[in-house]
Amino acid sequence: MTTVSKGTAAICSFAFVLSLAAGIACAQAPATKPFNASTASEANWWKNAVIYEVYPRSFQDTNGDGIGDLKGITEHLDYLQELGVSAIWLTPVYPSPNADYGYDVADYRDINPEYGSLADFDHLVAEAKKRNIRVIMDMVMNHTSDENTWFVQSRSSRTDPYRDWYVWRDGKGETATSQGGPPNNWGGYGRSSWQWDPTTRQYYYHHFSVHQPDLNWYNPAIEQEFKEITAYWLKLGVAGFRFDAIGTLFEDPTYSDEAPLLDKNGKPVLDSHGHPMLQRTKEGNLPQVHTVMQQMRANIDRFDTGAFPGTRVLIGEIFSRNTSDLLKWYGTSQKPEFQLPMDQQVGFVNKLDVSAFRKRITEAETELDGNVPLLVFDNHDRDRMDVRYGDGIHDVAIQRVLATILFESGGASLMYYGDEIGMKTTPPKTKADVKDTMTGLANWPKYKGRDGERTPMQWNAGLNAGFSTATPWLPVPSSASSINVQAEKNDPDSLLAWYRALIRLKKITPALERGANTMLDTSNTKVLSWKRQAPGAPAVLVSVNFTATPQTVDLSGAGKGALQTLLKSPGGSPPTRPDHITLAPFGIYIGELR
Ligand code: NOJ
């Protein structure tokens, strides 16, 4: 540990000297060589991991069809290594008719030919391993594509062996001549969760789109099938799975109607599209899912020994209302479930509100029974951070602020491709341009779907931002002329340089890697400050200005000593004492207390 700590100081003072000479801030000199430094043991790699979400369709096209592919990801592994990522999570790359771009799986044991082959996948995993980057697969267990052969068979006859793999029910009030209504009132956003199938004259249940029939998890064959599927990918060398929509695996077995959602005056609550909402307590969060998760965890843990050494992780797509909801997804020490259920509480505050961030970071620190939070600020389903947090003037500075919280407030961090260069949400211009037709058409133009956050990665200012030589499946935003990897790579003030510096610090500074958090200056509503402290290592202070005006904070309550700057955003001179830290608009300071 001492060596690492000395190393940290040495790296910083070197960068700091350089930075003074060049007139730039400490540690903003671009990383010169790749690193994977971490004091975490192999078994604990995930506790301080930086996981990078790749949307394969939009990362890099290598065969000139305008669609990203696996070879394109392999091509950029050096870039990812230099950024410092520990693992990449691939959104689904299985064969799929693309009603939901991979989240409608047609075959769980193959690769979508648009993205390549199993051989390309093997090559990607092998090349990633050489760079100490792990590959995490998306596993969609709630539903399949309606073109999956399981469903094709299931809908072919009421007596087919696959019939019970899906959820089939008679219509309500069905007669010999009429199909009746849907079996119950489940659904949302103006649509039913049931679809009539004329061949076998029953309704099937689909929590998501009509092309995504739900699997029947009350049938033990389903669990067995997914145990085999996950083992299949583990043997191919994956480091774990991100379990999609895990909360909706089971439905209330009575299939009774949901009650309407009423406000405190007893009036119906309307959704963002003006439809009356239901309580939606019966389509998900049933306790049975935890038993399945315990089994799944035991299954992957078995791979940690014997022929497949290493530690695999399970990441959960969790939507929790509060920390106690989130806590349930970790399981217990006897019956563990996810190592990393997503904490979307912190990253989706969606406004620059110091108190809200302070509260949620504190909850993640103190109310998860010592489990590791996985912070998430962005993904392929939500507007990027520019829309959710930007003010149109200071967007880059604001994204530095958010990245600082993502990487330095403790736990593991999940980032989304393109965030490191500040890619902007760019929704389709016309309804005819929408590719995410599943969500992007019904409420156009109020809601434009998810294409805006899935545009091609911006590698350079050339043709199609270097993503493809052909017309890309989604248009490249005009902002790519200045927001791109090539432009930012050698700019010490770029967002990319900031991301690299933060990730490097997170990996090599003991207090940031594994320290405990204490919030500082807790009545301040303009600046968020915290201390991280690990035994035997200097404490680190982090201070982040959430406003467009300069601020000064006194963090002498954190302890005595001189400050040694680890990283600061551009502007102003570095402080030397904790009682007087000046911060530029949206400025950030990270320093060791020595
Ligand atoms: C969550 C995924 O992130 C989203 O993209 C998908 O549409 C749904 N689950 C359904 O699989």
Side-chain angles (χ1 to χ4, degrees):
M1 286 314 120
T2 327
T3 344
V4 171
S5 154
K6 275 192 190 139
T8 311
I11 285 165
C12 183
S13 18
F14 175 64
F16 190 41
V17 172
L18 277 182
S19 69
L20 285 181
I24 55 174
C26 173
Q28 280 198 280
T32 45
K33 61 172 181 175
F35 76 104
N36 291 91
S38 175
T39 56
S41 67
E42 168 64 26
N44 287 335
W45 71 269
W46 52 273
K47 293 191 174 171
N48 188 41
V50 173
I51 300 166
Y52 185 99
E53 178 187 352
V54 178
Y55 198 72
R57 205 171 182 81
S58 291
F59 203 58
Q60 178 71 61
D61 170 25
T62 61
N63 63 350
D65 62 0
I67 295 171
D69 43 50
L70 296 183
K71 283 189 177 145
I73 303 170
T74 309
E75 223 170 63
H76 288 293
L77 287 170
D78 286 342
Y79 166 77
L80 295 170
Q81 185 186 20
E82 202 168 307
L83 185 58
V85 312
S86 332
I88 51 176
W89 148 35
L90 308 179
T91 60
V93 289
Y94 315 100
S96 161
N98 289 331
D100 191 10
Y101 292 101
Y103 286 98
D104 47 328
V105 180
D107 178 354
Y108 287 86
R109 291 178 173 85
D110 207 347
I111 296 292
N112 185 340
E114 289 179 314
Y115 301 148
S117 61
L118 279 167
D120 295 333
F121 183 79
D122 284 345
H123 187 58
L124 168 61
V125 172
E127 287 299 314
K129 189 169 184 191
K130 284 185 195 158
R131 294 161 178 85
N132 204 17
I133 295 175
R134 293 159 169 90
V135 177
I136 293 172
M137 291 292 266
D138 216 312
M139 190 49 67
V140 188
M141 306 198 296
N142 177 70
H143 49 269
T144 69
S145 160
D146 57 351
E147 293 185 26
N148 190 306
T149 52
W150 305 340
F151 188 69
V152 173
Q153 281 201 228
S154 181
R155 78 187 318 176
S156 68
S157 116
R158 288 198 187 197
T159 53
D160 187 90
Y162 282 92
R163 183 68 172 181
D164 197 34
W165 278 42
Y166 294 85
V167 182
W168 292 98
R169 290 285 178 281
D170 292 336
K172 206 183 233 174
E174 189 201 358
T175 64
T177 52
S178 139
Q179 65 192 58
N184 63 31
N185 68 349
W186 295 3
Y189 298 95
R191 68 138 180 91
S192 168
S193 295
W194 296 93
Q195 177 68 18
W196 172 250
D197 188 65
T199 312
T200 54
R201 298 193 56 80
Q202 275 191 315
Y203 284 84
Y204 67 86
Y205 172 68
H206 58 94
H207 184 82
F208 294 94
S209 84
V210 67
H211 298 297
Q212 294 163 297
D214 270 48
L215 285 160
N216 173 18
W217 274 84
Y218 290 103
N219 178 349
I222 306 296
E223 186 170 349
Q224 185 53 36
E225 182 70 25
F226 277 98
K227 271 190 190 155
E228 287 166 20
I229 290 168
T230 47
Y232 172 86
W233 290 101
L234 288 167
K235 285 180 193 159
L236 292 183
V238 307
F241 302 96
R242 174 261 190 195
F243 280 159
D244 182 65
I246 194 70
T248 53
L249 232 51
F250 287 88
E251 299 80 46
D252 182 325
T254 67
Y255 290 92
S256 52
D257 278 353
E258 292 272 13
L261 189 65
L262 303 176
D263 67 15
K264 57 180 186 316
N265 303 316
K267 290 220 175 83
V269 178
L270 303 182
D271 66 24
S272 51
H273 307 318
H275 304 292
M277 291 181 75
L278 298 172
Q279 292 187 6
R280 292 200 102 169
T281 54
K282 301 186 179 182
E283 288 190 65
N285 290 322
L286 275 97
Q288 292 87 330
V289 67
H290 294 286
T291 316
V292 168
M293 280 316 307
Q294 290 153 17
Q295 294 294 326
M296 284 287 169
R297 174 66 181 272
N299 205 32
I300 74 148
D301 281 355
R302 272 195 282 279
F303 277 82
D304 287 354
T305 52
F308 304 99
T311 300
R312 277 84 184 174
V313 291
L314 293 182
I315 298 172
E317 189 202 20
I318 306 298
F319 299 97
S320 48
R321 282 161 307 174
N322 49 47
T323 334
S324 62
D325 262 2
L326 179 60
L327 184 57
K328 292 185 196 138
W329 293 99
Y330 289 93
T332 61
S333 52
Q334 270 78 39
K335 293 182 178 174
E337 298 180 30
F338 288 101
Q339 283 98 334
L340 296 174
M342 290 179 189
D343 180 337
Q344 308 208 43
Q345 303 278 306
V346 176
F348 290 90
V349 166
N350 291 345
K351 56 179 179 207
L352 288 175
D353 176 337
V354 173
S355 312
F357 272 95
R358 187 180 288 128
K359 177 172 180 292
R360 295 189 183 184
I361 295 169
T362 306
E363 286 168 357
E365 177 76 15
T366 58
E367 296 177 9
L368 291 178
D369 283 359
N371 286 299
V372 176
L374 173 63
L375 298 193
V376 189
F377 274 69
D378 221 347
N379 62 37
H380 60 281
D381 292 330
R382 308 285 291 265
D383 284 341
R384 286 183 181 266
M385 285 186 270
D386 61 324
V387 169
R388 290 182 293 115
Y389 290 101
D391 64 1
I393 302 165
H394 305 93
D395 285 7
V396 171
I398 291 172
Q399 293 187 44
R400 277 197 203 102
V401 163
L402 300 168
T404 306
I405 298 169
L406 171 64
F407 295 115
E408 315 301 3
S409 68
S413 316
L414 176 51
M415 61 178 287
Y416 185 47
Y417 85 95
D419 279 350
E420 71 275 24
I421 53 171
M423 274 176 57
K424 290 185 182 298
T425 317
T426 313
K429 292 199 170 71
T430 69
K431 198 170 171 178
D433 294 334
V434 174
K435 294 286 190 316
D436 181 29
T437 50
M438 171 181 151
T439 61
L441 288 182
N443 293 292
W444 181 274
K446 202 167 175 188
Y447 180 63
K448 295 184 175 171
R450 299 169 295 181
D451 292 349
E453 53 268 29
R454 299 173 177 182
T455 57
M457 177 68 178
Q458 297 163 194
W459 296 105
N460 57 49
L463 177 71
N464 300 324
F467 164 71
S468 174
T469 51
T471 306
W473 78 287
L474 283 177
V476 170
S478 57
S479 55
S481 60
S482 57
I483 301 175
N484 64 68
V485 171
Q486 186 68 32
E488 297 190 29
K489 207 165 63 180
N490 297 314
D491 172 2
D493 280 349
S494 68
L495 191 60
L496 180 57
W498 185 257
Y499 264 71
R500 280 189 192 153
L502 285 177
I503 295 172
R504 184 172 278 255
L505 278 187
K506 177 184 174 78
K507 298 264 178 102
I508 65 174
T509 315
L512 293 174
E513 187 197 340
R514 59 191 153 77
N517 254 356
T518 314
M519 285 292 158
L520 303 171
D521 193 20
T522 51
S523 54
N524 196 324
T525 55
K526 295 184 170 146
V527 179
L528 181 69
S529 302
W530 65 95
K531 173 167 91 166
R532 295 185 61 81
Q533 177 98 64
V540 171
L541 305 189
V542 185
S543 207
V544 181
N545 181 359
F546 273 49
T547 72
T549 50
Q551 303 291 335
T552 303
V553 287
D554 174 355
L555 302 185
S556 51
K560 296 211 182 328
L563 279 179
Q564 167 131 16
T565 301
L566 294 175
L567 182 66
K568 72 177 280 303
S569 53
S573 41
T576 52
R577 295 185 346 229
D579 59 351
H580 193 80
I581 298 177
T582 54
L583 297 162
F586 298 107
I588 298 144
Y589 177 76
I590 306 178
E592 265 178 355
L593 197 55
R594 289 182 165 258

